[in-house]
Amino acid sequence: AYVRAEWAGYAVGIFEAARDIGEPCPAGSTMLDGQSYTVTGGGLDIWQTGDQFQFAYRRATGDFSMVAHVENRIWAPGSRWGKVGIMARENHGARARYAMIQTHGEDLQDADRFAGRRTTNGSDNFEQTTLAGGEHRDWMRLDRVGNVFSGFLSIDGADWQLMGSMNWGEGAPRTVLLGLGVCPHSETAGGCPQASITFGYIEITGGDGPQDPLTPQGGTISWSGSRSLLKGAGLSYRITGLGLVG
């Protein structure tokens, strides 16, 4: 095993950190203007061979619901499959398990959708949608209930339509990274373009339980005893895999 030093990002508004995942070209940023967050990201894709994007997040433990409204989209030229939305992610690794409700680049063939990677370091990504090709929504919501993550879209922020769900199973980490991700899918655009997306409304309910360590990159945490992070609480855990970054 080894410990790898990484830049931890910077706090922005309600998010404890904004940082790039997977070393995208060019580096991204997250800015707060009043109540609006503008997330600018580069990167090839969020898909099977690894993820590259800008991520503004906070840690969330247990059940939660996060709602976000897309106020403005500036896509990279040629960014047909750009991916933007609310993501829950087990750690900072480029091939971490995740669940995401996302809006896509403005393409007549693509519809907004729910997506995820089922296993850590896996290539078992999937996408689900109930929308017709070319349909896009400005309101999105990601819920966690137990170990099930579900993504919803809405025209008005009141009437929600389920796009898809995934169950992380009995060994799912209680604490995940929850926030906004932006990837321009520069593989189709060429070079190093960026997408810049402004979210004008964000609401997070729940997710405020005692925090556990993040699942290590490339492994799992097995707990015995108390999960409390307080010193002397009887915490013990076994880490398997290569990365110990959290």
Side-chain angles (χ1 to χ4, degrees):
Y2 65 90
V3 176
R4 182 179 66 195
E6 287 187 336
W7 181 59
Y10 53 91
V12 183
I14 65 171
F15 299 110
E16 67 181 71
R19 56 174 285 176
D20 285 329
I21 302 295
E23 300 181 358
C25 170
S29 65
T30 299
M31 305 294 291
L32 174 61
D33 183 5
Q35 299 299 313
S36 297
Y37 292 82
T38 297
V39 183
T40 301
L44 292 175
D45 201 358
I46 301 174
W47 199 235
Q48 295 175 344
T49 58
D51 307 334
Q52 293 185 333
F53 65 101
Q54 168 75 183
F55 194 29
Y57 65 86
R58 61 194 289 179
R59 298 179 192 231
T61 301
D63 294 353
F64 62 75
S65 180
M66 179 173 177
V67 175
H69 177 253
V70 179
E71 189 173 84
N72 187 51
R73 299 171 170 88
I74 302 176
W75 292 107
S79 181
R80 170 183 171 185
W81 293 306
K83 299 174 181 178
V84 170
I86 305 172
M87 175 184 285
R89 194 172 185 87
E90 64 180 350
N91 59 42
H92 305 103
R95 296 181 66 181
R97 180 167 45 170
Y98 72 88
M100 185 179 188
I101 184 67
Q102 60 194 31
T103 181
H104 276 229
E106 305 299 328
D107 184 86
L108 294 179
Q109 300 180 43
D110 274 339
D112 294 348
R113 63 197 64 188
F114 177 76
R117 178 181 288 114
R118 292 184 173 89
T119 58
T120 304
N121 290 329
S123 57
D124 49 355
N125 299 60
F126 71 96
E127 296 178 336
Q128 299 173 337
T129 187
T130 59
L131 301 182
E135 285 195 79
H136 300 278
R137 299 288 186 265
D138 290 336
W139 288 91
M140 56 185 65
R141 190 180 98 210
L142 184 67
D143 292 354
R144 178 179 187 175
V145 179
N147 296 324
V148 178
F149 295 80
S150 301
F152 303 81
L153 294 170
S154 174
I155 295 175
D156 56 9
D159 184 17
W160 294 97
Q161 186 175 358
L162 177 66
M163 295 294 110
S165 298
M166 66 183 301
N167 190 334
W168 281 18
E170 184 176 352
R174 292 197 318 130
T175 300
V176 297
L177 306 176
L178 175 65
L180 304 173
V182 170
C183 172
H185 202 292
S186 58
E187 183 178 17
T188 58
C192 290
Q194 290 181 308
S196 187
I197 311 298
T198 299
F199 298 87
Y201 175 87
I202 297 170
E203 181 181 14
I204 301 175
T205 56
D208 50 1
Q211 294 182 0
D212 292 343
L214 297 178
T215 300
Q217 296 179 32
T220 58
I221 292 179
S222 299
W223 295 93
S224 63
S226 172
R227 290 182 182 233
S228 172
L229 298 182
L230 298 177
K231 184 169 66 175
L235 171 68
S236 65
Y237 55 90
R238 181 178 71 254
I239 299 177
T240 61
L242 294 178
L244 304 182
V245 179

